[in-house]
Amino acid sequence: MTLLDLETVSKRYGPVRALDAVSLSVPPGSRTAVVGPSGSGKTTLLRIIAGFEFPDSGRLSLDGALLADGPAGVPAHKRGIGIVSQDGALFPHLSVADNIAFGFERGAPDRASRIAELMEMVELDGAMATRRPHQLSGGQQQRVALARALGRRPRLMLLDEPFSALDTGLRENMRKAVARVLQNAGITAILVTHDQAEALSFADQVAVLREGRLVQAGSPQMLYQHPRDRETALFLGDAVLLPAIVRNGFADCALGRVAVESDHAGKAEIMLRPEQIRVVVDAAAPQNGGRVVDVQFGGAICTVAVALADVALPPILIKTSSVALPAAGNLVRLDVTGKAHVFG
Amino acid sequence: MKAWALLQDSTAEAFNGAWPARKRATALLPRVPVVALATLVALFSLVPLGFIAWVTYDVGWETVKTLVFRPRIGELILSTVYLEVITIPLSIALAVGLAWLTERTDIPGARLWAWLAITPLAVPAFVHSYAWVSLVPSMRGLSGGVFVAVLAYYPFLYLPVAAALRRLDPAVEDAAASLGLAPVAVFFRVVLPQLRLAICGGSLLIGLHLLSEYGLFAMIRFDTLATAIVDQFQSSYNSPAANMIGGVLVTCCLFLLALEVLVRGNERYARVGAGAARPVDRRRLGRLALPALLVPAGLALLTLGVPLLTLGRWLWIGGLDIWNNEVTGAVAQTIVLALAGGILATIAAVPMAWLSVRAPGRLQRLLEACHYYVGSLPGVVVALALVSITVRFLLPLYQTFAMLLAGYVLMFLPRAMVGLRASIAQAPVELERAAMALGRTPAQALRQITLRLAAPGAAAGVALVALGITNELTATLMLAPNGVETLATRFWSLTSEIDYVAAAPYAVMMVVLSLPLTLLLHAQSKRTAGQ
């Protein structure tokens, strides 16, 4: 079952390949995050789904109906796809209520009650209805934009970095609120963001874009633990990358013997997430350890840099709690929990 | 052309929240003398309005009644109203359409058409009508007046509307499309309402010009309040009749200003939210490109082609003989007058500009309003007031350079203010403080930092006022001492004698001297739009 289906969608701007044969399917009721660094083509992808642009080639269909086949297709105003953009894009000349009701059919008899309902849905105070967009805070503007898009009862909602203009605290709040509202309304959502933490916490499906290509798509856990390549691994979070020799479900590396989930055999690069590694002060100078060269105190989470013994690798950075924090110069042992990921 | 100040306001203030956030800065200059100077200039700028009020009171209600409430005044008001209500909507439609074509479509040569849309401003309005009258001698009355006025003044609307279109956030239009609006509906429900401020500002400018213009309408024999005042004035210098029509005209101006405030409302159409706007998409015209080209091309032909053609023809007929010493003399006199007026107006504007940046407050706003309002008064009224006052009280000053320059200062004060205020704002008080921390005295800091940074703005102000004076006709006709002939007045007296051939070189020189202003205006509006 898919709601939105993209088949080898490509788009160029002059010599720049913005999207290169991107295929993606979005199940109904799901939340998908498209994540990638700036310039990776994620906004182009969103604009093509919304209908503001058309692909050079490839097909796009919603609920079985063809939206675009190459440069021909259904224009944005006939698609019934909602969009909330980076700064809300509220109509500056209309009040909050008029903004929300903008997409209603002309002369909708239940206009007032629907506005009230939508405002309640996005947790906006009804007293705001007469205000103008510039009298609202950033978070309130985003709520109005969401209510306005919900007013059309879209099957698909596109979120174009809607939280990036907000303060850190507010951002998380809004993210949860939006996820809740969409869930309750049963609306499928696609979020575009460059913030990997936001993507991982918001979505059931994450799609990583790089240089116009879809590198990998899957559940957040899957992508975090089993990234396809090192760029993806590093993009989605901190990672410790080590050369190793893999044999029989184990890898021999600078940290000793580590379990892997791979039937690969021979030389490979393995990846561990820093939270898999525990730093234990151990003056016995063990094999799978090294010397602490730097400690950065950061409150709840501190960073310890460990230069591995006998290996010509840069020091590895490990995030650890401030309890039993080693000091610079200490000899430490590095214990690994869980399995390492093998590239290739 | 008192356009500059208002135009600046309608493009800049509406779209970027105007000047950089003003902080309440403790002034380094002693404040009291500056306030005193600014107050003096403000009081001087109240002279024309005060004169009208005093004259109305002085002649008594009975005289006012007989002079104002008569059919002739009714006719004049009516024809002025017709002129306004026909010209302004036509100009709006033309300017919005053209601005949309040049800014939001892929029409071939968009940049060229944008320049050509501004260039008619370099041709003084009375030269426009001179060109049309020599081409179509039967052009007369309301229809002719509307026709030439639209051609001469529509750039005042084009300029702010095009700037506003460039600044609109395309995400808002995308949002409207995603909410189910077809492109035409997006234009009328989303784009057009956001142009309201620009349209209001531009319409006000055109409205004020229609009220105060003399040359354009006199040339095609269309009577307005302004032409009636000049006619009265020429028959008797200090006639209560002229003064009373002046009162009616000022009332019309104030009515227009109030109307604009009312229509504009307390709006703020700035872009909401942070982040840079995506550059706007241009709509593909496809097969409509060729018919669409007819609009800017046809307009350029009417607004530039016709003046160039007629001027060229008269020059051809006249040959080299018409470029005589009189032309040289008029050019020299015009330049001297223009520069003197420009420098004087800029000096007069300094105290107020400095106060409005460095010591904003309620008193400052009041004084500043005085400085600005006088720019929207018709030149005829300013001249009338100065002539009547000198004749009654200061006869030795009557028809002197001093009075002519005083008139220019009053009329062009806002132009000088705008450039100065912006450039003083570029020299924040913190820089002066830094200079003093580095061992400069307050006077040195002022001279080496603030004046240095404000100099380009002051120079631009002088240039703008100078170019305004170059094309000024009405007040110069009424105030100039005997023997003083500017390009505009010489042109006017020659065309009044129907010597169109001899008049041509003067018109050409005015256009040549005005072109820099036009280029400056266009560049300025582009910069306002952040391009």
Side-chain angles (χ1 to χ4, degrees):
Chain A
M1 256 291 269
T2 60
L3 179 74
L4 179 76
D5 207 23
L6 285 97
E7 291 171 54
T8 60
V9 169
S10 299
K11 175 86 184 170
R12 309 177 67 110
Y13 295 109
V16 183
R17 209 184 272 272
L19 286 179
D20 189 2
V22 172
S23 295
L24 180 69
S25 58
V26 175
S30 70
R31 292 200 297 270
T32 297
V34 176
V35 68
S38 58
S40 59
K42 51 190 194 306
T43 298
T44 306
L45 182 67
L46 200 80
R47 292 176 56 75
I48 283 177
I49 298 173
F52 304 142
E53 313 236 359
F54 289 88
D56 297 333
S57 63
R59 290 154 65 90
L60 175 71
S61 54
L62 182 70
D63 221 358
L66 197 61
L67 287 188
D69 189 355
V74 181
H77 65 276
K78 292 182 180 156
R79 290 195 179 187
I81 295 178
I83 183 163
V84 178
S85 65
Q86 196 161 10
D87 42 28
L90 299 183
F91 303 120
H93 58 293
L94 298 178
S95 68
V96 166
D98 290 339
N99 259 287
I100 293 175
F102 192 89
F104 292 3
E105 314 76 53
R106 281 203 175 238
D110 49 350
R111 187 185 137 100
S113 64
R114 270 169 73 189
I115 293 173
E117 191 185 319
L118 285 163
M119 287 184 73
E120 199 186 316
M121 210 160 151
V122 298
E123 294 153 23
L124 266 180
D125 187 359
M128 303 246 175
T130 54
R131 296 228 190 137
R132 283 299 186 79
H134 63 86
Q135 297 170 308
L136 304 181
S137 72
Q140 288 165 342
Q141 289 182 16
Q142 289 295 17
R143 285 172 199 268
V144 175
L146 182 64
R148 182 178 70 178
L150 286 170
R152 300 274 297 174
R153 303 190 183 102
R155 284 170 292 177
L156 179 64
M157 180 74 79
L158 305 176
L159 306 166
D160 182 9
E161 308 217 20
F163 315 119
S164 63
L166 307 178
D167 307 330
T168 324
L170 189 60
R171 191 181 306 177
E172 202 168 309
N173 235 332
M174 270 301 289
R175 189 163 67 219
K176 284 182 186 151
V178 169
R180 193 166 57 237
V181 168
L182 292 173
Q183 181 114 40
N184 293 344
I187 294 173
T188 313
I190 298 180
L191 167 74
V192 156
T193 177
H194 61 266
D195 180 343
Q196 36 81 20
E198 191 168 282
L200 294 176
S201 62
F202 178 85
D204 337 294
Q205 175 180 237
V206 175
V208 179
L209 272 187
R210 198 164 61 231
E211 287 166 7
R213 277 171 220 267
L214 184 77
V215 181
Q216 197 175 4
S219 73
Q221 293 91 333
M222 208 277 279
L223 256 68
Y224 187 69
Q225 284 158 10
H226 305 290
R228 177 161 294 165
D229 51 29
R230 53 184 300 165
E231 285 89 349
T232 310
L234 290 167
F235 183 71
L236 292 176
D238 293 333
V240 175
L241 301 163
L242 296 168
I245 294 168
V246 181
R247 201 184 311 121
N248 303 331
F250 286 95
D252 287 308
C253 65
L255 300 182
R257 176 158 288 203
V258 180
V260 297
E261 208 170 276
S262 167
D263 40 18
H264 184 89
K267 275 192 167 181
E269 188 171 43
I270 63 166
M271 181 210 74
L272 287 162
R273 291 297 179 186
E275 61 270 20
Q276 285 181 272
I277 302 174
R278 204 156 59 93
V279 183
V280 184
V281 178
D282 187 345
Q287 272 279 295
N288 60 334
R291 184 182 293 278
V292 175
V293 291
D294 190 27
V295 178
Q296 268 183 28
F297 186 77
I301 296 167
C302 305
T303 310
V304 177
V306 178
L308 299 175
D310 313 323
V311 194
L313 283 175
I316 62 173
L317 300 174
I318 296 156
K319 296 223 159 64
T320 177
S321 84
S322 60
V323 181
L325 195 66
N330 283 168
L331 289 175
V332 292
R333 192 177 79 227
L334 301 174
D335 289 347
V336 174
T337 51
K339 289 177 174 173
H341 171 66
V342 181
F343 292 121
Chain B
M1 291 208 296
K2 54 186 65 77
W4 183 248
L6 288 157
L7 204 59
Q8 282 285 300
D9 279 6
S10 61
T11 53
E13 209 139 293
F15 287 95
N16 55 13
W19 320 102
R22 290 188 208 163
K23 286 179 203 151
R24 217 168 221 296
T26 42
L28 292 174
L29 276 183
R31 181 103 70 85
V32 176
V34 184
V35 173
L37 285 174
T39 311
L40 210 65
V41 179
L43 285 178
F44 178 53
S45 60
L46 285 175
V47 162
L49 201 59
F51 165 75
I52 294 289
W54 174 75
V55 152
T56 313
Y57 173 80
D58 189 51
V59 298
W61 180 239
E62 281 309 313
T63 322
V64 171
K65 241 172 38 185
T66 47
L67 284 177
V68 173
F69 297 98
R70 57 193 169 112
R72 176 69 184 143
I73 303 285
E75 277 167 31
L76 289 174
I77 292 178
L78 207 61
S79 56
T80 307
V81 169
Y82 279 140
L83 185 67
E84 297 269 356
V85 300
I86 300 174
T87 307
I88 291 178
L90 279 178
S91 306
I92 293 174
L94 197 62
V96 172
L98 189 62
W100 186 78
L101 278 177
T102 58
E103 298 299 328
R104 301 301 295 274
T105 69
D106 64 345
I107 192 166
R111 285 173 61 92
L112 172 74
W113 299 126
W115 280 102
L116 291 183
I118 308 296
T119 317
L121 285 182
V123 183
F126 51 88
V127 174
H128 273 289
S129 59
Y130 153 80
W132 280 99
V133 166
S134 21
L135 191 74
V136 188
S138 62
M139 196 171 260
R140 285 277 180 283
L142 181 65
S143 56
V146 167
F147 181 75
V148 180
V150 168
L151 294 182
Y153 293 137
Y154 88 90
F156 286 139
L157 265 162
Y158 172 85
L159 212 55
V161 169
L165 273 177
R166 277 197 290 276
R167 278 193 84 86
L168 287 188
D169 182 1
V172 171
E173 286 155 58
D174 286 349
S178 81
L179 292 168
L181 254 61
V184 176
V186 171
F187 181 80
F188 282 103
R189 283 185 64 193
V190 175
V191 177
L192 204 53
Q194 293 189 84
L195 298 179
R196 188 161 118 188
L197 283 185
I199 291 176
C200 278
S203 302
L204 173 65
L205 259 185
I206 295 183
L208 291 173
H209 272 270
L210 293 177
L211 282 182
S212 55
E213 179 60 40
Y214 163 68
L216 192 169
F217 299 118
M219 185 89 75
I220 50 176
R221 315 235 169 112
F222 178 62
D223 288 344
T224 67
L225 290 166
T227 61
I229 296 175
V230 179
D231 291 347
Q232 281 285 348
F233 177 83
Q234 280 167 347
S235 56
S236 67
Y237 281 142
N238 182 24
S239 77
N243 291 344
M244 282 306 106
I245 309 177
V248 175
L249 187 54
V250 167
T251 312
C252 290
C253 282
L254 297 180
F255 174 77
L256 259 191
L257 288 168
L259 190 70
E260 197 261 351
V261 168
L262 210 69
V263 174
R264 181 171 58 173
N266 212 357
E267 296 292 351
R268 215 197 76 152
Y269 291 159
R271 210 170 146 256
V272 190
R278 199 164 46 78
V280 295
D281 298 323
R282 285 178 177 265
R283 185 161 287 281
R284 276 181 210 90
L285 289 172
R287 269 185 307 169
L288 290 175
L290 274 181
L293 270 176
L294 289 178
V295 177
L299 211 53
L301 190 73
L302 294 181
T303 55
L304 296 170
V306 168
L308 286 181
L309 203 79
T310 33
L311 280 178
R313 204 181 93 210
W314 293 131
L315 285 182
W316 179 255
I317 294 173
L320 280 176
D321 296 344
I322 51 173
W323 294 92
N324 48 29
N325 283 340
E326 270 182 62
V327 179
T328 328
V331 169
Q333 290 207 21
T334 305
I335 289 177
V336 168
L337 263 180
L339 284 181
I343 292 167
L344 254 176
T346 305
I347 292 173
V350 166
M352 191 62 244
W354 190 84
L355 274 186
S356 73
V357 174
R358 291 293 179 82
R362 206 169 292 164
L363 174 68
Q364 161 266 326
R365 277 203 295 278
L366 185 71
L367 292 179
E368 202 173 346
C370 294
H371 280 66
Y372 274 109
Y373 104 92
V374 69
S376 41
L377 286 186
V380 266
V381 172
V382 172
L384 200 57
L386 290 180
V387 168
S388 307
I389 289 171
T390 43
V391 166
R392 277 204 203 188
F393 304 110
L394 300 160
L395 200 52
L397 283 178
Y398 175 60
Q399 284 210 331
T400 55
F401 268 110
M403 271 304 114
L404 183 56
L405 289 177
Y408 288 151
V409 168
L410 284 179
M411 291 172 65
F412 297 116
L413 200 53
R415 288 195 191 203
M417 280 285 292
V418 168
L420 264 183
R421 192 169 73 160
S423 57
I424 291 180
Q426 299 230 312
V429 69
E430 286 77 11
L431 288 185
E432 259 176 54
R433 291 207 184 111
M436 293 203 305
L438 293 169
R440 301 289 190 282
T441 65
Q444 281 175 330
L446 183 75
R447 200 171 59 240
Q448 293 174 4
I449 306 296
T450 307
L451 292 186
R452 177 77 190 70
L453 285 171
V462 172
L464 282 170
V465 176
L467 288 160
I469 292 172
T470 307
N471 294 337
E472 214 292 325
L473 174 63
T474 332
T476 314
L477 277 179
M478 293 164 72
L479 288 170
N482 277 330
V484 171
E485 294 270 27
T486 66
L487 287 169
T489 56
R490 190 78 196 112
F491 171 83
W492 191 250
S493 54
L494 285 171
T495 50
S496 306
E497 296 157 14
I498 323 285
D499 194 349
Y500 286 173
V501 175
Y506 298 92
V508 170
M509 286 316 294
M510 277 187 280
V511 173
V512 167
L513 291 178
S514 304
L515 263 175
L517 163 73
T518 311
L519 306 189
L520 198 67
L521 265 172
H522 191 55
Q524 189 74 29
S525 83
K526 286 231 153 186
R527 207 169 328 137
T528 317
Q531 283 175 357

